[in-house]
Amino acid sequence: MYLALLVFFLQCSELYTQERVFTFNTVEIKVQPSVKVKNGAPMSIVCRADISKSTDFQLKHNFTIFKDGKLVFMTVSNKGDAQYEIPMARSSDTGEYECTVEAGGKTKSSNSLHVWVTGMTKPILTAEKKEVLEGEVVKLRCELPEEVPPLHFLFRKIKMNSTPKEKLVFEPYRNFSVVEFSVEEGDNILQFDCFGRRNVKLEFESSEYSNKTLVTVREPFIKPTLNAKPSSNITEGDRIQFECSTVVARMHDIEIILQKNRTILNSIVYKYVHEYSVQDEKLLKYSAVATLEDSGEYLCKVEQGRASKTTKLNVVVSELFPKPILAASMSKLDENKELTLSCSISGFRKANFSILRKNPNGDIWLKNSRNLTMRVNVNDTGSYICKAEVKGIVKQSRPVRINVYAPVSKPTLSVVSGLPEVVLGKPLRLICRSVMGTPPITFTFYKGNNEVKKVVINDTYATFLDENIRPNDKRGYKCDARNNHSSGMKTSNILNITVIVPIRNASLGSIPYGEVEDGSETAFLCSVKEGSWPIHFRIFRKTDRDVLLFEKSENADRVVWRKEAMNRQDTGTYYCMASNRANVDVKSHPITISVILAAWQKGIIAAFVLIPIAGAATLTLWWFLCKKKKAKGPSMEMSGSALATNLTSEKLTRQHNDGDYYTGSSYIEDSENHMKSTDESNDSVENRHSRIQGHPDAT
């Protein structure tokens, strides 16, 4: 019974579930009246869900609306749509909107929709002060209360008959900005305003201008006055006095400065404070004896904080007398000659004169006079001036350069590297030196009789680089030196240069070539195609470490080395190297020498091989005959003559067919003679070898 009830309830539940089936078709989001809404106008965000149901049943919908990913509205409804009302749209409502609907455990979201609220609220501008002094600052605050950052603020300072000054500020995190404008000289009544700007979809949108704020400017001091006494037009030698003054309304760290060009002549600072109503005059004085250099523009400047006012005055100082002129009897002269210096003033004779020599550590006084005569030496070379004084005004002449010359000595010409030689193809650097003589010195180099270089130098030597060295060049070089001394030119001795031709194409040969008999003599010839003498020849045999066999220097292009007795250990590869003072080793191609057995050595070897073979053959024949004789006694005796005849015939036949082999006493005799000859030859080779081994050139 219970089982039947359970089956009944399960069937009913399954039937109920099948009757409440639904699915989301779409979820849409819209804005009314449009996606572009004017600032202050009403706006509605509508979210609508399109749902298909199996039957008509009630379904609760949870609507959620997001702006830029943040929740702004949420409601529950039995209806398929919901509406988010914004009575007055602001620019802060601009953004990406999206809605999500949840029902019966299912959720679906709409696509995003961009809504743009056009237009921005009017900004509010406030100033910290309504009245300021020149040199102070005006602090301004511009605010957009209903806007959301990031925002751009632009402030303007407006002055009568002048282009407004602007400042642009970016505020990423707040809806207001604060700036400061400095109050400058000449500012009187100032107006300020601002406006805001934001970026929407890569487009800038600006607000209208704010209210205008008025700021009044007062002067802390008046424009200064600058006077020159007795006049701004005076004669040098007279005393001139400058007076710079101003009237101060508010005394606090007031500074008065007098300057000419960029040079400050005098200054004063007033520290104490008065109220605005007090008018106080302040004065700065400066006096000096006027000179021509004092002509020009003077500037009186009054400063307080950032405030600054200036007044200019032009002063003209007339010349009392012109600069003196120093004349020299000669500007270039030999040592021990007489020099006269004279100082004068055009159209003016009553003055105190002095003559001095210029020196970096201070001019050297020579004489209080209009004229100076002296006998000079090289140390008197330098610049000279004269000074003239009238009424306390001292003027100086232009410097006059005097050069005193010692004669050059006979120059010496040499090679910088030392030896008077050069390798063909390499540059040759020569140095010409004159130990005595006052610079500048003119050095001239000659190759043969041709001038190749001329140089004027402030030193006692000069160099010449000859990069065109050829075998048939003229080898004689010389140089001369001269300066401004009247003695004239000095010439060096002729320097002859040896041109060293480098070694080219070394080769090695031998006689005999290739195969050499043991114990025989071999001659090695090492030669070069060209190269300057002497040439250093070396002959090597290649091993794990190349062995030097022979070396010799020759005033020739070849050398011969004789090795008297070659042996089997001398088999190998040989090469030679040649070099000269060009210091370049030139290596020949290698040659190979094979030491083979001599003819007599081959004969001995043949004898030692053939004698045992002949002896064995004889013994074998003898054994065979003896055995046959024992077996056939009488018949052998009967046929003895026939055997002898056969043996004789056999011997003749074998000697004819085997001509390379020798038997019998004649072979033994020849072998003994040959061995004797070999022993004598060996004794002779050993004696010769003992004699070479002691020679310095032997290996």
Side-chain angles (χ1 to χ4, degrees):
M1 177 180 177
Y2 291 111
L3 181 61
L5 288 173
L6 179 60
V7 171
F8 173 76
F9 280 118
L10 287 173
Q11 288 178 347
C12 291
S13 175
E14 182 178 356
L15 188 61
Y16 175 77
T17 302
Q18 290 177 353
E19 291 175 352
R20 294 180 61 85
V21 175
F22 75 96
T23 182
F24 280 101
N25 294 322
T26 60
V27 174
E28 295 180 345
I29 186 170
K30 294 182 179 180
V31 60
Q32 294 176 351
S34 69
V35 293
K36 270 193 175 183
V37 183
K38 287 187 178 181
N39 200 312
M43 179 177 72
S44 298
I45 307 295
V46 179
C47 182
R48 178 175 292 109
D50 181 14
I51 299 175
S52 296
K53 302 178 183 178
S54 60
T55 60
D56 188 12
F57 60 89
Q58 290 290 329
L59 190 63
K60 285 189 177 182
H61 307 79
N62 292 315
F63 292 92
T64 308
I65 297 177
F66 299 89
K67 173 184 170 290
D68 296 330
K70 295 181 181 179
L71 177 65
V72 294
F73 176 77
M74 186 171 61
T75 187
V76 179
S77 174
N78 292 328
K79 297 181 180 180
D81 56 15
Q83 194 163 313
Y84 170 42
E85 299 286 348
I86 301 174
M88 294 180 63
R90 297 300 182 195
S91 60
S92 59
D93 295 321
T94 298
E96 299 286 335
Y97 286 84
E98 182 183 340
C99 76
T100 300
V101 181
E102 188 274 329
K106 297 182 179 181
T107 304
K108 191 172 182 65
S109 298
S110 70
N111 293 329
S112 63
L113 177 67
H114 182 73
V115 178
W116 186 357
V117 179
T118 62
M120 298 176 67
T121 56
K122 184 176 180 179
I124 301 171
L125 179 66
T126 56
E128 188 178 62
K129 294 179 181 180
K130 296 295 183 181
E131 184 178 274
V132 294
L133 292 173
E134 287 181 3
E136 294 183 339
V137 295
V138 177
K139 191 172 184 180
L140 303 172
R141 174 189 170 100
C142 184
E143 184 177 3
L144 290 164
E146 298 178 359
E147 304 298 336
V148 177
L151 296 167
H152 296 265
F153 292 88
L154 190 137
F155 296 82
R156 294 196 307 172
K157 174 187 175 184
I158 305 168
K159 188 166 62 170
M160 293 274 298
N161 301 322
S162 180
T163 303
K165 292 186 177 180
E166 298 180 346
K167 287 188 178 181
L168 181 64
V169 183
F170 174 65
E171 294 289 354
Y173 307 114
R174 59 186 187 180
N175 63 352
F176 69 92
S177 184
V178 177
V179 300
E180 292 181 348
F181 280 96
S182 60
V183 181
E184 302 165 352
E185 180 184 2
D187 289 348
N188 190 4
I189 298 176
L190 300 176
Q191 285 186 328
F192 298 90
D193 62 14
C194 69
F195 70 87
R197 182 182 293 170
R198 62 175 178 156
N199 194 333
V200 181
K201 285 288 185 180
L202 301 178
E203 292 184 29
F204 273 108
E205 184 178 29
S206 300
S207 72
E208 60 180 307
Y209 279 96
S210 69
N211 56 297
K212 282 189 167 50
T213 300
L214 190 67
V215 176
T216 304
V217 180
R218 294 185 58 192
E219 290 183 309
F221 48 84
I222 66 172
K223 186 179 179 72
T225 59
L226 179 60
N227 295 314
K229 295 180 180 179
S231 170
S232 59
N233 292 310
I234 59 172
T235 302
E236 61 178 345
D238 295 340
R239 180 164 291 275
I240 186 172
Q241 179 170 300
F242 295 92
E243 293 183 355
C244 179
S245 62
T246 185
V247 176
V248 180
R250 181 184 178 188
M251 185 65 65
H252 178 65
D253 290 340
I254 294 289
E255 186 173 13
I256 304 175
I257 301 170
L258 177 67
Q259 65 184 77
K260 180 177 183 289
N261 299 326
R262 302 177 65 88
T263 303
I264 295 177
L265 303 176
N266 198 9
S267 66
I268 188 171
V269 178
Y270 296 94
K271 293 281 189 182
Y272 56 88
V273 178
H274 285 311
E275 297 298 330
Y276 284 120
S277 58
V278 176
Q279 299 291 315
D280 195 1
E281 182 179 8
K282 295 302 171 187
L283 180 66
L284 172 68
K285 294 183 179 182
Y286 172 76
S287 66
V289 175
T291 64
L292 282 180
E293 289 74 19
D294 293 328
S295 293
E297 187 177 75
Y298 289 78
L299 182 71
C300 176
K301 180 185 291 186
V302 181
E303 295 179 342
Q304 181 190 48
R306 298 186 184 185
S308 176
K309 295 186 179 184
T310 60
T311 299
K312 296 178 180 178
L313 176 66
N314 193 56
V315 173
V316 177
V317 179
S318 302
E319 186 178 60
L320 176 62
F321 64 96
K323 286 184 177 181
I325 299 173
L326 180 64
S329 57
M330 298 178 68
S331 60
K332 297 178 180 179
L333 65 163
D334 298 347
E335 60 180 353
N336 296 321
K337 295 284 186 175
E338 196 173 81
L339 172 68
T340 299
L341 299 174
S342 299
C343 188
S344 62
I345 300 175
S346 178
F348 203 94
R349 295 190 59 85
K350 293 183 179 180
N352 296 322
F353 294 97
S354 58
I355 298 177
L356 305 92
R357 180 180 173 186
K358 298 288 289 182
N359 188 282
N361 299 321
D363 296 343
I364 301 172
W365 171 87
L366 299 177
K367 188 177 182 181
N368 285 332
S369 175
R370 175 190 298 270
N371 300 311
L372 172 65
T373 299
M374 61 181 182
R375 192 168 295 278
V376 296
N377 56 48
V378 174
N379 295 329
D380 292 322
T381 295
S383 295
Y384 293 79
I385 60 170
C386 75
K387 293 182 178 180
E389 180 186 356
V390 177
K391 291 178 61 177
I393 300 298
V394 178
K395 294 188 178 182
Q396 179 178 299
S397 70
R398 291 180 180 273
V400 173
R401 178 73 184 179
I402 302 298
N403 292 298
V404 181
Y405 293 94
V408 295
S409 58
K410 180 178 179 178
T412 58
L413 183 64
S414 60
V415 179
V416 172
S417 60
L419 296 176
E421 60 185 26
V422 63
V423 177
L424 182 65
K426 299 289 185 179
L428 172 66
R429 186 178 292 276
L430 302 175
I431 181 169
C432 182
R433 187 186 302 274
S434 181
V435 179
M436 303 293 292
T438 306
I441 301 175
T442 301
F443 291 95
T444 307
F445 291 85
Y446 299 88
K447 186 175 183 180
N449 293 320
N450 298 322
E451 180 183 315
V452 290
K453 183 180 180 181
K454 178 180 285 189
V455 60
V456 179
I457 192 167
N458 283 318
D459 211 330
T460 58
Y461 69 92
T463 60
F464 166 62
L465 184 66
D466 190 354
E467 297 180 293
N468 188 25
I469 302 296
R470 291 174 293 188
N472 57 350
D473 274 351
K474 294 181 179 179
R475 310 294 173 83
Y477 293 83
K478 66 179 179 179
C479 70
D480 59 45
R482 70 178 304 162
N483 63 358
N484 290 315
H485 194 274
S486 59
S487 60
M489 180 180 64
K490 304 288 177 62
T491 303
S492 70
N493 294 331
I494 293 177
L495 176 65
N496 291 311
I497 300 296
T498 300
V499 178
I500 300 172
V501 179
I503 301 296
R504 187 163 67 90
N505 295 350
S507 61
L508 178 65
S510 68
I511 301 175
Y513 182 78
E515 291 186 348
V516 180
E517 289 189 354
D518 190 1
S520 66
E521 181 182 83
T522 301
F524 292 89
L525 173 66
C526 182
S527 63
V528 298
K529 190 168 184 179
E530 69 175 1
S532 296
W533 300 348
I535 300 175
H536 187 67
F537 295 93
R538 289 175 291 169
I539 299 177
F540 296 85
R541 179 162 57 87
K542 293 182 70 69
T543 60
D544 293 339
R545 297 180 64 183
D546 292 359
V547 178
L548 175 64
L549 303 175
F550 172 80
E551 65 176 330
K552 188 176 183 182
S553 293
E554 287 281 0
N555 286 320
D557 60 358
R558 65 194 62 202
V559 69
V560 176
W561 174 54
R562 301 179 184 277
K563 181 159 175 58
E564 294 182 354
M566 300 288 284
N567 56 50
R568 296 297 296 274
Q569 286 74 25
D570 294 325
T571 295
T573 301
Y574 294 77
Y575 67 91
C576 76
M577 295 185 72
S579 62
N580 60 6
R581 295 200 304 279
N583 295 323
V584 177
D585 289 330
V586 179
K587 185 177 179 181
S588 72
H589 290 295
I591 63 172
T592 301
I593 301 294
S594 298
V595 180
I596 61 176
L597 294 174
W600 62 269
Q601 291 174 323
K602 293 179 181 178
I604 291 176
I605 293 172
F608 275 104
V609 172
L610 295 177
I611 287 174
I613 294 174
T618 303
L619 289 174
T620 301
L621 179 62
W622 179 79
W623 177 81
F624 176 76
L625 291 175
C626 289
K627 185 177 179 182
K628 190 173 182 181
K629 185 176 181 180
K630 289 179 181 180
K632 297 182 178 182
S635 59
M636 287 294 291
E637 292 176 0
M638 290 177 64
S639 59
S641 61
L643 177 61
T645 304
N646 291 336
L647 286 173
T648 304
S649 175
E650 182 181 357
K651 181 177 180 181
L652 291 172
T653 303
R654 291 184 63 181
Q655 286 178 355
H656 177 75
N657 293 335
D658 301 329
D660 291 339
Y661 296 90
Y662 299 90
T663 59
S665 60
S666 64
Y667 175 81
I668 295 171
E669 182 178 346
D670 290 344
S671 298
E672 289 175 352
N673 294 334
H674 188 66
M675 287 291 291
K676 182 177 180 181
S677 175
T678 303
D679 291 340
E680 292 174 358
S681 176
N682 286 341
D683 291 342
S684 175
V685 170
E686 288 176 0
N687 291 336
R688 287 199 302 270
H689 182 67
S690 64
R691 289 197 302 272
I692 295 172
Q693 194 169 17
H695 194 275
D697 292 334
T699 301

